[in-house]
Amino acid sequence: MPLDTDPHTDDADLLAAYARGDAGAARLLTVRLTPRAFGQAVRMLGDAGEAEDVAQEAMMRLWRVAPDWRAGEARVTTWLYRVVSNLCTDRLRKRPRRSLPLDEVAEPEDPTPSVEARMQADARMAALRDALAALPERQRIAVTMRHFDGASNPEIAAALDVSTEAVESLTARGKRALAAALQGQVAALGLEEG
Amino acid sequence: MTNSPPPRKDDDWIDSVLDDLARADLPDASDDLMARVMGDAQAMLPPPGGRVTQAPWWRQVVDGIGGWAAVGGLAAAAATGFVVGLGGLETVGVTTPWSVSYETYYDSPGTLDAFGWDMEEG
């Protein structure tokens, strides 16, 4: 059966087929993996244009690594997740740091509550993305896989090649670091209780 | 003086912020992006049957010798030759320093005279 008519073909098998020059495998991997990579990048970067560049670069690396891919060592999706995560982090760390207190943001012409709320939400997301980018890789991946992709501890453990107990620890430390990074901006970002 | 509300537990408000970001609408990957990725895939597609990758230099050496079994035999032969060579030194009158143990040296006649014992034992 041709690969592109079988939706259950494993990604690693498709990658092996690509490495043997199978154009159908290239098409199927593109359709399967590009939207995932793009979605992850949009969530991390908050910018669709940059996210497209990251997704394209990540997929390019996948094509490049295909001939040397060792089946059974890692899942293709996990490998791609890490690549996208690291590419996004590189971009976020190169961005100039934002000045987050809203007092310093230009007032809109018509400061209706919805506009202010939207600005505050945007600032909150930007601050969170910056804080995520500052986390060590394993903590960042544990937190984002858990919260953005709904991954279970065993799934995260397999992705990071650590024990499930270590996943708990990585996630907890990651969230503590995020809390510490955002602590000084709690009021400005509208994070108080009440 | 205003009473500011106590901060929430770290997990609560961080979970809430992370969930907000997780719920944010994501745009679909554009046709342009899909076409670019597909174009890259086609451009980098290995030839049918796969690309022949050049083995690293050390593997070429190992393969040239005859594989890992041959490398093992060669190493064993080299070690044997070295030991045989060391044994042969005595027959030509060469005393190798490492063939004389500490005890042999210390107890050999003429190594220590009375002055030497005095120095050693006080």
Side-chain angles (χ1 to χ4, degrees), chain A residues 151-185:
Chain A
S152 65
N153 278 357
E155 287 170 328
I156 301 171
L160 294 175
D161 197 19
V162 296
S163 66
T164 21
E165 293 77 20
V167 170
E168 287 288 354
S169 168
L170 286 168
T171 311
R173 280 187 286 150
K175 290 205 284 191
R176 271 203 303 276
L178 289 177
L182 298 176
Q183 198 70 54
Q185 306 158 48

Side-chain angles (χ1 to χ4, degrees), chain A residues 18-21 27 30-31 34 38 42-43 52-53 56 60 63 67 125 128-129 147-148 175 179 182 191 193, chain B residues 5 8 10 13 15 17-19 21-22 26-28 30 33 36-38 40-41 44-51:
Chain A
Y18 175 81
R20 292 192 300 271
R27 200 161 43 247
T30 300
V31 171
T34 305
F38 173 69
V42 170
R43 195 171 268 134
E52 286 199 349
D53 291 344
Q56 187 179 3
M60 183 103 79
W63 308 136
M125 294 304 104
L128 179 60
R129 290 186 180 106
H147 284 271
F148 298 164
K175 290 205 284 191
L182 298 176
L191 293 169
E193 191 177 48
Chain B
R8 286 184 279 181
D10 284 355
W13 65 271
D15 281 349
V17 179
L18 286 166
D19 289 345
L21 186 52
L26 296 178
D28 291 332
S30 66
L33 172 63
R36 276 156 50 195
V37 171
M38 198 60 227
D40 290 340
M44 298 172 75
L45 187 69
R51 191 178 69 206

Side-chain angles (χ1 to χ4, degrees), chain A residues 51-109:
Chain A
E52 286 199 349
D53 291 344
V54 164
Q56 187 179 3
E57 170 66 24
M59 292 300 292
M60 183 103 79
R61 292 186 185 194
L62 182 66
W63 308 136
R64 199 174 295 136
V65 83
D68 302 317
W69 187 267
R70 294 186 193 176
E73 281 198 1
R75 292 179 62 186
V76 175
T77 48
T78 302
W79 180 91
L80 191 66
Y81 193 94
R82 293 182 84 138
V83 170
V84 171
S85 182
N86 288 332
L87 288 172
C88 290
T89 300
D90 288 346
R91 284 175 177 255
L92 285 168
R93 288 179 181 170
K94 284 177 189 163
R95 280 182 186 173
R97 304 290 292 182
R98 284 169 240 262
S99 177
L100 285 168
L102 291 186
D103 297 348
E104 297 176 21
V105 177
E107 287 288 329
E109 300 253 332

Side-chain angles (χ1 to χ4, degrees), chain A residues 26-51:
Chain A
R27 200 161 43 247
L28 197 50
L29 282 170
T30 300
V31 171
R32 275 190 193 180
L33 300 178
T34 305
R36 289 175 71 135
F38 173 69
Q40 183 193 351
V42 170
R43 195 171 268 134
M44 286 193 72
L45 294 168
D47 181 308
E50 272 193 284

Side-chain angles (χ1 to χ4, degrees), chain B residues 6 9 11 16 21-22 26 35 65 82 107-108:
Chain B
K9 274 179 58 191
D11 274 5
S16 162
L21 186 52
L26 296 178
I65 291 171
F82 183 70
D107 295 336
S108 59

